[in-house]
Amino acid sequence: MTLISSSNTKKSRQRLTHLLLHIVLIVMGLSFLIPLLWLASTSLKRGAQVFIVPVQWIPTDPQWYNYGEIFERLPFARFILNTASITILGTIGSVVSSLMVGYSLARLRWPGRNLVFIFLLATMMLPRTVLLVPTFVMFKYFGWLDTFYPLFVPSWFGTAFYIFLMRQFMMGIPLELDEAARIDGASSFRILWQLIAPLSGPAVVAVAIFSFLAHYNDFMDPLIYLTSNDKYTVALGLYWFAGRWGNLWHLVMAASMVTIAPTLILFFAAQRYFIQGIQFSGLTGR
């Protein structure tokens, strides 16, 4: 009886601990949502209603025209198209380059492989500001200023973190699969794209999400390399909009909602793959 009572007490404590933990997480999650809720609410208000106290979370007369007005004041559709082009090309480049380099570092045997990997990791320690001036000078020499090339071409030459992520995932795939494919006459290129790449789905999705967010939210590089207004990205367009009509908070919030909408959709659509890719990438190594 004593053992049964002790076991029941332990289970009750565990349930209480889990309940308290869930309550704390729910409260924290709701607190993090408050700025987003205020953003969405403000985007549907009139200018005079923005700073009414107490806060009116659900506008009685939603002003959906606010979203149409931001497209009338600035070419936001053009900004979205520019951002989509850069983001898609950069994301494809990141996935392709990280797959190829990660495969080489994880599956192939060649002299100096580990040394190259160490130097690759060392590049992650360099502050980005150290590389701004030489990178700018190089792109100026290429004649790429005020073009989209500096914003997506570097992704096609690999990013250290994405390569590391892909390499770590591929290290967990049995080498026997490669050997069996080679016996059947498959080349390294064919093994990569028809065997290893499909098996690396979670890591590929994780790299794609990271790259998408990095290119979509990038503000510094477009600010440095783009000078023509018609080539602005969404991030620069929002900055320009806030600078010109910063006193019209309802319109600024509407522009902000348009800006963050793709990232919210991406998160809810691919969160499972994102978490799975991050989880698997750090579990295996050889």
Side-chain angles (χ1 to χ4, degrees), residues 153-210:
V153 169
S155 299
W156 287 85
F157 291 89
T159 302
F161 175 68
Y162 302 154
I163 294 172
F164 167 76
L165 196 67
M166 199 68 67
R167 184 248 187 196
Q168 292 302 105
F169 190 94
M170 290 181 180
M171 293 284 278
I173 301 176
L175 283 172
E176 289 76 12
L177 296 176
D178 298 50
E179 296 170 358
R182 292 188 190 282
I183 292 175
D184 291 338
S187 63
S188 297
F189 190 81
R190 185 176 179 183
I191 292 173
L192 168 61
W193 294 110
Q194 295 188 3
L195 180 63
I196 303 301
L199 293 176
S200 303
V204 171
V205 174
V207 169
I209 293 174
F210 276 133

Side-chain angles (χ1 to χ4, degrees), residues 13-33:
R13 289 178 179 176
Q14 289 179 346
R15 292 195 190 98
L16 180 60
T17 302
H18 290 162
L19 178 61
L20 293 176
L21 180 61
H22 280 81
I23 292 175
V24 171
L25 292 176
I26 292 173
V27 171
M28 292 180 62
L30 292 176
S31 65
F32 291 147
L33 283 176

Side-chain angles (χ1 to χ4, degrees), residues 47-110:
Q49 298 175 328
V50 174
F51 297 106
I52 293 179
V53 179
V55 177
Q56 187 180 17
W57 292 101
I58 302 178
T60 55
D61 184 21
Q63 301 297 307
W64 296 103
Y65 178 74
N66 291 343
Y67 288 91
E69 188 171 351
I70 64 175
F71 286 91
E72 293 177 0
R73 291 177 180 261
L74 283 181
F76 245 85
R78 184 66 183 178
F79 299 159
I80 294 173
L81 180 62
N82 295 340
T83 305
S85 302
I86 295 169
T87 302
I88 292 173
L89 291 173
T91 300
I92 294 175
S94 297
V95 171
V96 172
S97 61
S98 61
L99 267 172
M100 297 182 69
V101 180
Y103 173 76
S104 176
L105 293 173
R107 317 293 295 183
L108 302 181
R109 296 291 180 264
W110 44 275

Side-chain angles (χ1 to χ4, degrees), residues 206-255:
V207 169
I209 293 174
F210 276 133
S211 181
F212 178 92
L213 294 176
H215 286 91
Y216 185 85
N217 294 325
D218 190 15
F219 176 78
M220 182 62 69
D221 286 345
L223 182 64
I224 293 174
Y225 297 113
L226 300 180
T227 55
S228 301
N229 296 341
D230 61 332
K231 296 179 180 178
Y232 277 6
T233 60
V234 169
L236 279 183
L238 180 61
Y239 177 75
W240 185 18
F241 190 91
R244 296 186 63 177
W245 293 287
N247 59 323
L248 303 177
W249 284 100
H250 57 300
L251 297 182
V252 173
M253 296 302 105

